[in-house]
Amino acid sequence: PDVRVAVVQNQPQVTVGVSANVTLTDDQGQAWGDLRANQGVTLQPGEGGLVGWSRPLPPSIWLNPGEQGLVYVNGQWYRGKMRLILVNNGITAINQLDLEQYLVAVVGAEVYPSWPMHTLKAQAIAARSYALAQMFRPASRYFDLGNTERWQVYRGIKDEWNTTQAAVQSTRGIVLTHSGRVMVSMYAATDDIVRNVFGGRGMSQTGAYELGKQGYSYLQILGNYYPGASLSQIQ
C-alpha cells in the first residue's frame, strides 16, 4: 500500500522542484501547467488557492514524477507523488509513496545504516508495523503520519542506503501483531526513554544494536522488546 506522509505542515511558503518534467494536476486530474526538470517554484497561500505559479492554482495540486523521478520540497528530495494542499491558511506537503520504499529511508534516519543487519531488520519491522497501524487510524483526513520524531523520522532519499534497502527487502510485508491486530510498535533511542515515556513497552534502538552485535537474530531482538507479539505477513 501507499503511505501518506506530511513532510511540510502549515507553512507560509513551500519551494518545490522535480527531477523530470511533470504536469501539475488538481484532485480531478485536470492539468494546470508543466514544471520542467530542475526548475524550482515557490508557492504561497492565495485567495482560495496557491499562488506563485504563472497563474493561480487550486487549493490542492499534485506532482507525480513517475517511478524513476523525484520531487524536491524545501531542501529534500522524495520518491513518489507529492500533494500540496492549502490547510488552515498554510501549505502542507504530503508525500504519497509505496510503504516499503518509505521504510528504506525511515530505517536510515532512525538508526545508523552501519549497524548489524539483524538490528536493521528489527527496526524495519517495527517501523513497518508502526506505519501500518497509523494508516488504519490516520493523523488527519489528508495524511497518515508526520515526518518527525513524534512519528518516525523521514527525510527522503538522503537516508536511503544499500543496507537499509536490504533490511527492508528481506523483511518485506512482515509486521508485528497482537490479538490479531497490527501492533503500534513504539520504539525509542534508549531503554530509559522506553521506560519513562512508554512505560517500558517498546524497543530500545541502542539495546537492539547491542543485541545485534552479540549475534541475536531479528526474531530474538523483537521477541525481547515486544513479548507476546506475533509476526504476520501482509500482502
Side-chain angles (χ1 to χ4, degrees), residues 9 15 23-24 40 42 80 85 88 102 140 155 169 192 194 220:
Q9 291 189 54
T15 299
T23 298
L24 278 66
T42 298
I85 185 168
N88 298 328
Y102 158 76
S140 85
R155 299 175 297 213
Q169 284 186 343
D192 286 343
V194 171
Q220 292 171 315

Side-chain angles (χ1 to χ4, degrees), residues 121-133 136 152 171 173-187 202-203 218-234:
K121 290 180 180 181
Q123 177 63 63
I125 293 171
R128 182 182 295 109
S129 306
Y130 181 87
L132 193 61
F136 287 130
Q152 299 187 128
T171 63
I174 299 176
V175 294
L176 290 157
T177 59
H178 191 271
S179 301
R181 296 185 178 183
V182 178
M183 176 183 288
V184 183
S185 46
M186 307 303 292
Y187 58 85
M203 183 175 71
Y218 72 91
L219 296 174
Q220 292 171 315
I221 294 172
L222 293 172
N224 181 69
Y225 288 110
Y226 302 104
S230 302
L231 291 180
S232 300
Q233 180 81 45
I234 61 170

